[in-house]
């Protein structure tokens, strides 16, 4: 049976599932630490002796860390450098304990690019014993044109490692120039951060870059679904804790996260995906009916004064990191904007003093309040709780916050933050920040229960 695959990431899933292996043979033009770790996992899981693992590499298999890779690889495999010919093949032959063989071949090198990032085309052949002898002839041909890696070869790569690194940097700069026409507006470049051990990948952030935010093809939809599922997984860890704080997710599971398709309400672009916590279903529906009685009863499809119109605390993935946000006001028909302006304009001195006091408590905790023109994707003004004095916030808010602008307080984690390495650590940190924001949220949102008329 033959299967064809070109989706990014599926090769990793295949190799991670491999079990009951008797031997493995690999030919790959390029190899990286990502490939090394993947191969180590396979060897350890299947208890493969070194004699049952054979790998053939091209002479230029790595421009960044060839010495390290050869030393580590030699501990678990028989390693050959194909130096009499230019090796460009990518072939993976797996022999199972039951005598069956699985063959994978195509364009993917044993690197993160080949297995996760790039658009590759691979063929999977399962249980194909008929052609195994011919495939083994290919590996014999590689061996006849290769040198077994020993200390002499490793020392040679050590001598030229600095030159290879210079070549790598030159190639990297050339690629940047070639791609600049497309990637010039990206939040960050692919190689700016090492995200190999992080919960969110470069592809997750890339999905939210400006050039992709407006797309709605099948591939981008699938990538947004992956982000949504990762965020939902964090929510599962947070749910009982935030509910105890009287913060509640949307009552419909389908609306747990913000939208993942461009539409009128997100200005026809998906530049962030997040989970909101705020008022209860009863509060939202009663408030909406009270504030807009002419519209009649509230329906689940009613976007006019829905859940997103109310202040909330949310966590979300954005194009340049992970945000924990007190989102106070959407651009139009924001329910809690009026609450805040009433406090300032009446004025309610007790509440104003309480707001200033809570903002002072947030000093040094990394929060910034933003007023943005989301429709035109620009920041109108910002107020750093760390750099500015708390008593100046009321004047800032009064000057800049108005209908047509979005208004929110944000804490941003950089994509390479250690906190983003696993969802448990991230969930704990997110809960900590939610608790820090909660007193301010309670002061500037309307949470009184509204009763419906008989």
């Amino acid at each position: 049976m033959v299967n064809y695959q070109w989706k990014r990431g599926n090769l990793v899933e295949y190799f991670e599932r491999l079990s009951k292996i008797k031997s493995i043979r690999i030919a790959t033009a390029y190899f990286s630490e990502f490939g090394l770790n993947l191969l180590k996992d396979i060897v350890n899981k299947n208890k493969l002796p070194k004699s049952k693992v054979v790998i053939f590499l091209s002479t230029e298999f790595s421009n960044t860390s060839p010495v390290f890779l050869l030393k580590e690889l030699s501990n678990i495999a028989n390693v050959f450098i194909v130096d009499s010919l230019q090796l460009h093949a990518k072939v993976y032959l797996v022999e199972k304990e039951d005598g069956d063989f699985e063959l994978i071949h195509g364009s993917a090198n044993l690197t993160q690019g080949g297995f996760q990032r790039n658009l590759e085309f691979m063929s999977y052949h399962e249980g194909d014993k008929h052609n195994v002898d011919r495939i083994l002839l290919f590996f014999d041909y590689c061996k006849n044109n290769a040198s077994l890696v020993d200390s002499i070869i490793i020392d040679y790569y050590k001598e030229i490692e600095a030159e290879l690194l210079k070549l790598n940097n030159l190639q990297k700069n050339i690629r940047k120039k070639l791609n600049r026409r497309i990637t010039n507006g990206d939040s960050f470049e692919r190689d700016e951060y090492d995200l190999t051990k992080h919960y969110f990948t470069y592809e997750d952030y890339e999905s939210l870059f400006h050039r992709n935010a407006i797309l709605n093809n099948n591939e981008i939809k699938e990538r947004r679904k992956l982000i949504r599922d990762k965020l939902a997984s964090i929510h599962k860890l947070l749910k009982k804790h935030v509910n105890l704080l009287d913060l509640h997710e949307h009552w419909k599971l389908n609306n747990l996260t913000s939208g993942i398709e461009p539409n009128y309400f997100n200005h026809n672009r998906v530049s962030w995906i997040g989970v909101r916590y705020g008022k209860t279903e009863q509060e939202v529906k009663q408030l909406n009916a009270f504030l807009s009685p002419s519209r009649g009863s509230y329906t689940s499809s009613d976007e006019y004064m829905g859940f997103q119109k109310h202040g909330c605390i949310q966590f979300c993935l954005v194009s340049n990191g992970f945000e924990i946000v007190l989102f106070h006001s959407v651009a139009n028909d924001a329910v809690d904007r009026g609450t805040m302006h009433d406090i300032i304009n009446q004025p309610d001195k007790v509440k104003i003093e309480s707001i200033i006091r809570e903002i002072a408590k947030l000093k040094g905790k990394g929060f910034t309040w933003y007023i943005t023109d989301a429709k035109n994707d620009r920041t109108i003004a910002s107020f750093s709780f760390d750099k500015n004095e708390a008593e100046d916030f009321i004047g800032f808010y009064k000057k800049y916050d108005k209908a047509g602008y979005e208004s929110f307080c944000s804490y941003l984690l950089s994509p390479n933050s250690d906190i983003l390495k696993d969802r448990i650590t991230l969930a704990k940190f997110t809960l900590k920040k939610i608790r820090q924001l909660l007193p301010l949220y309670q002061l500037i949102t309307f949470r009184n229960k509204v009763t419906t008329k008989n």
Side-chain angles (χ1 to χ4, degrees), residues 10-29:
N10 282 45
L11 273 175
V12 174
E13 294 174 8
Y14 169 81
F15 273 83
E16 287 177 342
R17 289 197 303 266
L18 283 177
S19 61
K20 298 182 179 179
I21 298 174
K22 184 178 179 180
S23 70
I24 185 167
R25 295 171 177 84
I26 297 171
T28 178

Side-chain angles (χ1 to χ4, degrees), residues 170-231:
L170 178 61
Q171 291 173 333
K172 188 186 297 182
N173 289 332
I174 291 172
R175 282 196 298 270
K176 286 180 183 178
K177 289 179 180 179
L178 290 171
N179 293 330
R180 192 167 293 164
R181 179 179 62 85
I182 297 172
T183 63
N184 193 42
D186 288 357
S187 299
F188 60 92
E189 295 176 354
R190 179 183 289 277
D191 55 2
E192 187 170 339
Y193 305 116
D194 180 7
L195 303 180
T196 53
K197 298 179 181 179
H198 283 63
Y199 187 62
F200 295 104
T201 66
Y202 171 81
E203 285 71 26
D204 292 332
Y205 296 103
E206 182 189 33
S207 302
L208 304 171
F209 287 173
H210 188 269
R211 59 184 162 90
N212 291 320
I214 61 174
L215 301 179
N216 204 31
N217 54 53
N218 289 334
E219 182 191 357
I220 201 70
K221 286 180 181 178
E222 290 301 314
R223 291 170 70 174
R224 289 173 187 153
K225 287 177 183 177
L226 288 175
I227 297 171
R228 180 192 63 190
D229 292 345
K230 288 182 180 182
L231 294 170

Side-chain angles (χ1 to χ4, degrees), residues 363-381:
K363 192 176 184 71
K365 293 181 169 58
F367 290 103
T368 300
W369 195 287
Y370 293 96
I371 310 291
T372 66
D373 177 1
K375 183 177 181 180
N376 296 302
D377 198 20
R378 65 190 182 105
T379 299
I380 303 301

Side-chain angles (χ1 to χ4, degrees), residues 389-448:
E389 297 302 321
E391 57 266 24
D392 295 332
F393 176 75
I394 300 300
F396 160 83
Y397 187 92
K398 188 174 182 179
K399 180 178 179 180
Y400 293 107
D401 183 88
K402 58 184 178 181
Y405 293 158
E406 292 188 349
S407 190
F408 57 93
C409 178
S410 167
Y411 180 94
L412 179 68
L413 283 168
S414 175
N416 65 336
S417 169
D418 286 345
I419 294 166
L420 289 167
K421 284 189 174 179
D422 67 87
R423 71 184 184 101
I424 296 174
T425 302
L426 179 55
K428 289 179 179 178
F429 183 83
T430 300
L431 182 60
K432 174 185 172 182
K433 287 297 176 183
I434 289 174
R435 284 174 171 154
Q436 289 173 357
L437 287 169
L438 183 61
L440 182 59
Y441 169 82
Q442 291 170 330
L443 284 168
I444 62 177
T445 55
F446 187 74
R447 291 300 305 269
N448 287 3

Side-chain angles (χ1 to χ4, degrees), residues 24 30-31 81 86 277 286 310 351 362 383 431 444:
I24 185 167
Y30 296 100
F31 187 72
I81 301 291
Q86 185 69 32
Y277 300 112
Q286 288 180 339
H310 295 256
K351 280 197 174 181
L362 293 173
F383 186 95
L431 182 60
I444 62 177

Side-chain angles (χ1 to χ4, degrees), residues 40 60 96 191 210 243 260 372 395 427:
K40 279 183 176 180
E60 64 269 32
K96 307 298 285 290
D191 55 2
H210 188 269
N243 289 167
I260 62 171
T372 66

Side-chain angles (χ1 to χ4, degrees), residues 173-381:
N173 289 332
I174 291 172
R175 282 196 298 270
K176 286 180 183 178
K177 289 179 180 179
L178 290 171
N179 293 330
R180 192 167 293 164
R181 179 179 62 85
I182 297 172
T183 63
N184 193 42
D186 288 357
S187 299
F188 60 92
E189 295 176 354
R190 179 183 289 277
D191 55 2
E192 187 170 339
Y193 305 116
D194 180 7
L195 303 180
T196 53
K197 298 179 181 179
H198 283 63
Y199 187 62
F200 295 104
T201 66
Y202 171 81
E203 285 71 26
D204 292 332
Y205 296 103
E206 182 189 33
S207 302
L208 304 171
F209 287 173
H210 188 269
R211 59 184 162 90
N212 291 320
I214 61 174
L215 301 179
N216 204 31
N217 54 53
N218 289 334
E219 182 191 357
I220 201 70
K221 286 180 181 178
E222 290 301 314
R223 291 170 70 174
R224 289 173 187 153
K225 287 177 183 177
L226 288 175
I227 297 171
R228 180 192 63 190
D229 292 345
K230 288 182 180 182
L231 294 170
S233 184
I234 297 170
H235 161 71
K236 286 181 181 179
L237 296 174
L238 289 173
K239 175 178 167 56
K240 66 178 181 181
H241 301 287
V242 295
N243 289 167
L244 286 172
L245 299 175
D246 197 20
L247 294 171
H248 308 272
E249 68 276 16
H250 197 285
W251 52 90
K252 282 186 170 289
L253 183 61
N254 289 341
N255 294 331
L256 175 65
T257 69
S258 55
I260 62 171
E261 293 192 24
N263 56 56
Y264 171 80
F265 299 102
N266 58 26
H267 309 291
N268 296 305
R269 60 178 180 269
V270 181
S271 56
W272 68 279
I273 302 174
V275 176
R276 303 180 178 101
Y277 300 112
K279 301 169 187 177
T280 64
E281 176 182 3
Q282 181 184 27
E283 283 182 278
V284 171
K285 292 181 176 179
Q286 288 180 339
L287 277 169
N288 291 350
F290 176 78
L291 293 169
S292 186
S294 63
R295 292 180 58 80
S297 61
Y298 180 86
T299 66
S300 61
S301 62
D302 188 355
E303 291 283 357
Y304 178 73
M305 291 282 277
F307 189 73
Q308 78 282 1
K309 298 293 184 180
H310 295 256
C312 67
I313 297 180
Q314 65 186 36
F315 64 86
C316 52
L317 195 73
V318 294
S319 66
N320 62 331
F322 183 90
E323 277 190 314
I324 300 101
V325 180
L326 192 171
F327 198 95
H328 191 241
S329 305
V330 291
N332 299 301
D333 306 311
V335 173
D336 295 299
R337 172 172 278 129
T339 301
M340 184 66 172
H341 282 272
D342 284 346
I343 293 170
I344 294 172
N345 295 327
Q346 285 181 357
D348 186 333
K349 292 183 180 180
V350 174
K351 280 197 174 181
I352 288 174
E353 289 175 1
S354 297
I355 290 168
I356 293 171
R357 190 161 50 249
E358 291 303 329
I359 290 173
K361 290 179 183 178
L362 293 173
K363 192 176 184 71
K365 293 181 169 58
F367 290 103
T368 300
W369 195 287
Y370 293 96
I371 310 291
T372 66
D373 177 1
K375 183 177 181 180
N376 296 302
D377 198 20
R378 65 190 182 105
T379 299
I380 303 301

